């Protein structure tokens, strides 16, 4: 690989130099190889990492401390692909006030049971789902089981296609692929849902 | 309706008094009716609004300026339900650097055409989708059309169930319901996708 200076790193990643320096200080980007007292040389792995950080912040909308956790999951050696997916998820679930929606845990468990899904008792996903359902109820917009089942079925078909895509691209950085695919396809799924809502709603409005 | 002091507003909404005062200053909460020089009385509409703001920040993970835009869409009278859904969406799409992924617009349009979906030429959704696909490609994780079609089909079945739920709850605040349902069910869909990924992956790992 051809080494490069920071200016080329900026051009290749599309990021301003001060941002790259900030990422170096924050350890989101590993240091280059020092050449003399004030200069360092970088390589393709730095370009790749910067593009990843950029996509996670600009496309997936993650905050820097979440980006840090994602990178830690990707860089953690010796975790299986399955564990990597799980660990990235566990680290990324947004915090819901503890206790909020606890009365809805049985309903979440019933939903999972209908699909034959297992979920670790300590998984934060249960609390995330229960918290969202509790908030909808509190706002006077309760969700019916039938709707949740449609959501779960849609989620399963999407997850199956995610795992198939992973098989096709199977290679060294499968962990990165799993984590990146999970995060960057989230805005795709949400945007498609919004387009679909507008279209279904438009057809009904006629 | 029975009027209440701010202390009761705090107890009913689960928010600390300083937070409520901050929301009043920021105009996220309409003022109460002044009683004397330093006290005001509030009513159920204030409780409801505070719970909404809390859900949008804690569950949907919106920033305050996005919350402000959502509230403006909800409060805007004279917009049809269809327009309200569209306007909330338009206001909420996360910014993608302009131009990024423009070469992928035709691919996005082909995806929409395969589903028979229309999309306004000025809609930010096209750019959001193209930007996400471009980022995935740049990171060496290109997405196949077959996978995008699975995503679009899942999005359509979810959107249909969203609109059915809206019909059941049809009433004055249908606009709020549409916007709240769109936003608060997003974390539900994403969390279910993650649980599904873990389960599909676990079955394969055996």
């Amino acid at each position: 690989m051809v080494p490069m200076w920071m200016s080329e790193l900026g051009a290749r990643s599309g990021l301003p130099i001060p941002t790259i320096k900030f990422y170096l200080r924050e350890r989101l980007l590993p240091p280059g190889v020092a050449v003399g007292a004030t200069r360092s040389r970088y390589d393709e792995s730095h370009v790749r990492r910067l593009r990843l950080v950029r996509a996670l912040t600009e496309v997936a909308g993650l905050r820097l401390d979440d980006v840090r956790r994602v990178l830690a999951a990707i860089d953690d050696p010796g975790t299986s692909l399955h564990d990597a997916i799980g660990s990235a998820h566990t680290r990324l679930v947004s915090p819901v006030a503890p206790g909020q929606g606890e009365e809805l845990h049985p309903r979440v468990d019933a939903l999972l049971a209908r699909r034959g899904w297992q979920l670790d008792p300590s998984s934060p996903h249960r609390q995330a789902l229960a918290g969202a359902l509790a908030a909808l109820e509190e706002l006077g917009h309760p969700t019916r089981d039938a709707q949740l089942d449609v959501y779960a079925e849609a989620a399963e078909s999407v997850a199956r296609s995610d795992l198939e895509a992973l098989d096709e691209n199977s290679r060294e950085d499968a962990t990165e692929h799993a984590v990146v695919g999970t995060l960057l396809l989230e805005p795709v799924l949400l945007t498609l849902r919004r387009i679909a809502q507008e279209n279904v709603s438009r057809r009904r409005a006629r």
Side-chain angles (χ1 to χ4, degrees), chain A:
Chain A
M1 290 195 198
V2 187
M4 60 191 93
W5 302 113
M6 188 177 283
S7 55
E8 189 177 345
L9 214 48
R12 297 273 309 279
S13 67
L15 287 168
I17 303 297
T19 304
I20 297 175
K21 287 185 175 167
F22 173 72
Y23 288 165
L24 279 168
R25 283 198 305 275
E26 293 285 314
R27 306 238 158 226
L28 293 168
L29 184 70
V33 176
V35 182
T38 58
R39 303 186 79 186
S40 293
R41 304 213 76 159
Y42 303 90
D43 61 28
E44 288 297 326
S45 72
H46 293 90
V47 175
R48 189 172 173 78
R49 177 53 51 106
L50 282 176
R51 285 178 176 168
L52 178 59
V53 172
R54 190 176 172 206
L56 292 175
T57 52
E58 292 181 7
V59 181
L62 297 196
R63 282 178 286 228
L64 281 194
D65 48 343
D66 286 323
V67 171
R68 200 188 309 279
R69 287 190 207 106
V70 172
L71 297 179
I74 289 175
D75 292 339
D76 194 1
T79 49
S80 73
L81 182 59
H82 172 66
D83 288 345
I85 293 179
S87 94
H89 289 177
T90 306
R91 293 167 196 227
L92 290 168
V93 168
S94 57
V96 177
Q100 215 190 341
E102 241 170 36
E103 70 285 2
L104 288 167
H105 282 201
R107 198 167 155 222
V108 169
D109 287 332
L111 165 68
L112 303 179
R114 287 197 296 279
R115 287 225 78 77
W117 287 349
Q118 293 170 33
L119 189 62
D120 193 272
S122 68
S123 169
H125 295 326
R126 182 176 287 102
Q127 180 55 34
L129 285 176
L133 298 181
L136 282 159
E137 256 183 33
E138 197 181 66
L139 292 169
H141 307 294
T143 317
R144 298 182 67 151
D145 280 344
Q147 188 176 11
L148 291 179
D149 286 340
V150 171
Y151 270 65
E153 188 172 344
E156 186 163 323
S157 71
V158 159
R160 251 191 238 112
S161 97
D162 291 336
L163 274 283
E164 275 163 27
L166 211 52
D167 286 345
E168 282 169 23
N169 289 277
S170 183
R171 51 190 208 192
E172 287 173 43
D173 55 3
T175 307
E176 180 189 311
H177 184 97
V179 174
V180 164
T182 292
L183 291 172
L184 292 195
L185 284 168
E186 287 189 347
V188 170
L189 182 57
L190 296 184
T191 304
L192 287 171
R193 172 176 175 241
R194 291 177 177 196
I195 297 173
Q197 282 182 339
E198 290 174 18
N199 276 274
V200 175
S201 153
R202 183 185 296 118
R203 279 176 212 154
R204 287 165 166 241
R206 269 181 202 148

